[in-house]
Amino acid sequence: MPFEELDRERFVADAAALTELLRNRFNQERIYLYGVSWSSIVGIWLVQEHPGLYHAFISSGQMVNTVENDRLGYERALQHLEEQGDTGSAEKLRRNGPPPYGGDNIVAPYVDYLDVLNDIMGTPRYSLIVPVIPFFVPEYGYIDKINHTRGLVNSFNAVYPQLEQLDFVKDAPVLDIPVFFFVGRYDVNAMAPLVEEYYTMLAAPHKELVWLDGGHGLGSADNQDVFMDVMLTRVRPLSGAAG
């Protein structure tokens, strides 16, 4: 499929088709929808367009407003580099300027500051981990392992500029199913204050914000335990599932 065909409509249609497959396979009228980081965006879109397919929406690393989030992240990365005395890397960020970025290849300037944010959170840099991950995936053939990073780069270049107008505070103030946000207190990738702001104004039949002691996503085993406990004791009963 050409990369230029990647857009909101395609992602939502594909995810809805996968939902139908799962509903049929497991003979369920509704299923649970979980998104993390980028897929938390697709998750909100899905809930807006197909609320009847899901018991609840659950996310971690929830994205709310990509431009505002990226500008805050850029500023935090620059501040960190200056505090660490890394004048060379700080100057590189200044030359890039604040996001959003344009052009045919926008990955590099984003990765420049996102890698710093990962350093702050104590997680591997994208420039290090992304090319390595596919080599630990047994389902990938050799060509798949090689093309994995190229595919991510091309997808990012095609999709990310489409998110410049994304603002769920404005465009998704109401969701028609229960919502659970798991938020890392120290998440500087999906900025926790933006998630908290969105949660505060969001109207939903039921909503909960669950704070985690960490950064982006679920991370540690302790946070995964919290996630499982909430899913079993608060999400399932709310949705009418057996305990």
Side-chain angles (χ1 to χ4, degrees), residues 117-135:
L117 298 182
N118 281 11
D119 288 343
I120 294 171
M121 293 185 291
T123 56
R125 289 186 163 219
Y126 289 122
S127 57
L128 172 66
I129 197 67
V130 167
V132 173
I133 286 176
F135 290 91

Side-chain angles (χ1 to χ4, degrees), residues 41-138:
I41 295 174
V42 180
I44 296 289
W45 290 341
L46 270 170
V47 170
Q48 286 183 299
E49 297 188 26
H50 303 284
L53 299 180
Y54 306 103
H55 284 303
F57 174 61
I58 308 101
S59 76
S60 59
Q62 178 67 52
M63 290 296 184
V64 176
N65 179 324
T66 51
V67 169
E68 180 65 17
N69 189 81
D70 292 340
R71 285 173 177 162
L72 291 172
Y74 170 87
E75 292 168 3
R76 181 67 185 89
L78 188 57
Q79 177 188 13
H80 176 76
L81 292 173
E82 291 172 341
E83 291 171 350
Q84 297 299 310
D86 189 346
T87 56
S89 297
E91 181 56 32
K92 185 177 184 180
L93 291 195
R94 290 194 187 91
R95 288 198 302 270
N96 291 343
Y101 302 115
D104 295 331
N105 186 4
I106 62 174
V107 171
Y110 278 107
V111 170
D112 283 342
Y113 79 82
L114 288 171
D115 272 352
V116 180
L117 298 182
N118 281 11
D119 288 343
I120 294 171
M121 293 185 291
T123 56
R125 289 186 163 219
Y126 289 122
S127 57
L128 172 66
I129 197 67
V130 167
V132 173
I133 286 176
F135 290 91
F136 293 92
V137 180

Side-chain angles (χ1 to χ4, degrees), residues 103-181:
D104 295 331
N105 186 4
I106 62 174
V107 171
Y110 278 107
V111 170
D112 283 342
Y113 79 82
L114 288 171
D115 272 352
V116 180
L117 298 182
N118 281 11
D119 288 343
I120 294 171
M121 293 185 291
T123 56
R125 289 186 163 219
Y126 289 122
S127 57
L128 172 66
I129 197 67
V130 167
V132 173
I133 286 176
F135 290 91
F136 293 92
V137 180
E139 292 84 1
Y140 284 1
Y142 182 74
I143 299 300
D144 298 321
K145 297 178 190 294
I146 298 299
N147 285 335
H148 173 267
T149 300
R150 186 178 69 172
L152 283 178
V153 169
N154 290 337
S155 298
F156 189 94
N157 286 334
V159 174
Y160 210 74
Q162 300 177 42
L163 304 179
E164 287 188 11
Q165 303 303 315
L166 185 81
D167 182 0
F168 285 142
V169 170
K170 176 171 60 73
D171 297 329
V174 178
L175 297 176
D176 294 329
I177 64 173
V179 175
F180 292 78
F181 292 147

Side-chain angles (χ1 to χ4, degrees), residues 12-24 31 54:
V12 170
D14 286 353
L18 177 59
T19 297
E20 290 296 336
L21 185 152
L22 294 171
R23 290 172 67 232
N24 292 331
I31 63 174
Y54 306 103

